[in-house]
Amino acid sequence: MYSILYVDDDEILLNVNKIYLEKNGDFSVDVANSAALALDRIPSGQYDAILSDYQMPGMDGIELLKLVRDRHGNLPFILFTGKGREEVVMEALNNGADFYVQKGPDLKGMIVELRYKLNRAIERRRIGDELKQSRQQMTDIINFLPDATFVIDTRGRVIAWNHAIEKMTGCRKEDILGKGDYEYAVPFFGERRPMLIDTVLQDPHVLNQPCPGFRLLENKISQDLFAPGMNGGRGAYLWVHAGPLCDAGGIVEGAIETIRDISDIHQIKHDLDLSRDANLGFANILPVGVYEMDLACRLTFANTMAYEMFGLVPEDYSQGINILDYITTPDRERAFRDIQSAARQGTANGQEYLLQKSDSSTFPALLYGAPVIDPETKQPVGLRGVIIDLTQRRQEAQALLESEERLKLALAAGNIGIWDVGMRDLEVRDIYNWCHTTLGYDFEPGIPLTVDKCKTIINPLDLPNIIYAFYRHIRGKAPLFESNFRVRKMDGIWIWVTTRGKVIERTADGEPLRITGTVNAMNCAAECNDPNPRGNPWSVGSFGFKRK
């Protein structure tokens, strides 16, 4: 049964002609009421022929024909025309229409003509395709010639032995043509024995199903082998390709074999194997999981750590492992999208997922992946990356958070503040909360608190002692920076405070980069309650300090 797409803007004709064409069961007719709709359906319809009316709104049959020829080659096309439209007929034929049928009052006669011309157009295309295929087979044979090539007939006698194989073996065609009994194997193996070409003739079924040691490709088989009789007994690694020779009726008349010396490629493969072994050894000593997958998320490589992470063993690889099976259901769809995105865009950003072991237990992990690129097509064929188990990090982060919370509670209970000063910008950090709770100052967000601003609320009489203690520490004469001094609260009252600190970061030359420490109020009244001792030129403001 042939599949036909019938295009006509007349809904009545569409339905009537569809019924008549399908009546005998020779055709299955799909209909479209416009050329635009037909163009949308053709790519997915697998139609054997197009039947189109000429006169249609928007796009007529000739325009449709031109687009079909441009997009779909020699797809059979038959045009409906009205009486007296010879100029349309000529234009249709000039643009590649197979046939035309004129509409008329004799509906049955028209349907008979349509059936005949549809069958003829489809058959003509089939014959053309077969001719094209036959010519392609001849081209394939010609393409063998640059390689060492020989041909045998069905009785195993050599009927062709080209110049390339003469050069490869040193055996002239005059000495081998017409000979059988596996004579052609002697230059390669030093003895008479069957070769791949004999497998084609003696066991033709290998061309229809996979066989161990052979690779099947378009009705031909190939094999890599070692020929010990070549190169004066040193041997050579060969790539051998064989296939049948058939006449026009498909009857096997012989077989053809091409041979290529791939000794240099074999050496490269050997070196590649050594490199892969080295890479595998390196991957197995890494403390993270290393993996490779194809674009369908099938595992193609994993190091020892990756197997251990999921409770697997390398033997599980032979059963087939899909990466997505080891990502928990809530994260699976997101992971698949991320994998496809990484393969397309070449990004290697880490993403966190909840992974699942073979025993169904779970653990958080960070996955990095970058595309594996085919060197020939330059297209991504998979993903390669690492898996970092975050379990220990999560535990350490939780422990650190709990420790920080305990520290905050302890500092709050003891009315202790923490400060941190960068020596390059002299900005005081982490002291804001203590300044608010103990001294009553509120600072505007975004405006840094500097050492100079802090000095404005320190009693000027105490500054020399603070500076002296600081320099003793940074020069290594005191293990800690320690000092007691008076500071002025927001309400103008002076209180004694104690500070202790230590340089925690230095330059290569030993200069201090960062110092951190604590400050807390002492439980005693300040000796000086003068709100402006020694003529201090600063007054207290709601934020920072303003000169009087």
Side-chain angles (χ1 to χ4, degrees), residues 146-162:
D147 288 323
T149 306
F150 72 99
V151 180
I152 62 174
D153 60 19
T154 54
R155 290 185 289 179
R157 295 178 305 183
V158 179
I159 58 175
W161 187 267
N162 75 347

Side-chain angles (χ1 to χ4, degrees), residues 137-297:
Q137 288 175 345
M138 181 61 67
T139 301
D140 290 342
I141 294 174
I142 296 173
N143 288 337
F144 279 129
L145 297 179
D147 288 323
T149 306
F150 72 99
V151 180
I152 62 174
D153 60 19
T154 54
R155 290 185 289 179
R157 295 178 305 183
V158 179
I159 58 175
W161 187 267
N162 75 347
H163 176 70
I165 201 169
E166 285 183 309
K167 185 177 179 180
M168 174 182 283
T169 64
C171 178
R172 300 182 307 165
K173 64 180 179 181
E174 293 83 0
D175 300 329
I176 193 72
L177 288 178
K179 292 185 178 180
D181 194 24
Y182 308 125
E183 180 75 18
Y184 41 80
V186 175
F188 299 100
F189 300 99
E191 62 178 351
R192 300 173 185 271
R193 50 162 285 184
M195 293 181 63
L196 191 65
I197 196 169
D198 301 293
T199 303
V200 173
L201 290 180
Q202 299 170 8
D203 194 9
H205 78 279
V206 301
L207 299 176
N208 300 317
Q209 61 185 22
C211 293
F214 299 143
R215 292 188 296 277
L216 182 61
L217 177 64
E218 295 182 357
N219 206 36
K220 305 174 184 69
I221 52 176
S222 65
Q223 183 182 29
D224 295 343
L225 53 84
F226 181 72
M230 295 184 64
N231 298 324
R234 296 190 308 273
Y237 289 92
L238 305 177
W239 175 78
V240 184
H241 195 86
L245 288 178
C246 304
D247 62 14
I251 304 300
V252 175
E253 293 186 334
I256 184 170
E257 178 167 316
T258 60
I259 303 165
R260 186 177 301 169
D261 190 336
I262 58 168
S263 298
D264 54 343
I265 299 176
H266 185 271
Q267 182 61 45
I268 294 173
K269 288 182 177 179
H270 175 71
D271 295 341
L272 179 60
D273 288 340
L274 293 178
S275 176
R276 285 174 174 168
D277 289 342
N279 290 339
L280 176 60
F282 176 73
N284 282 334
I285 66 174
L286 293 177
V288 296
V290 180
Y291 70 91
E292 283 188 11
M293 70 170 83
D294 60 21
L295 294 180
C297 300

Side-chain angles (χ1 to χ4, degrees), residues 4 34 75 129 153 178 272 504:
I4 309 298
S34 70
L75 179 63
D129 289 343
D153 60 19
L272 179 60
I504 61 172

Side-chain angles (χ1 to χ4, degrees), residues 209 345 347 413 435 466 470 533:
Q209 61 185 22
Q345 301 175 11
T347 57
C435 286
I466 297 174
F470 173 73

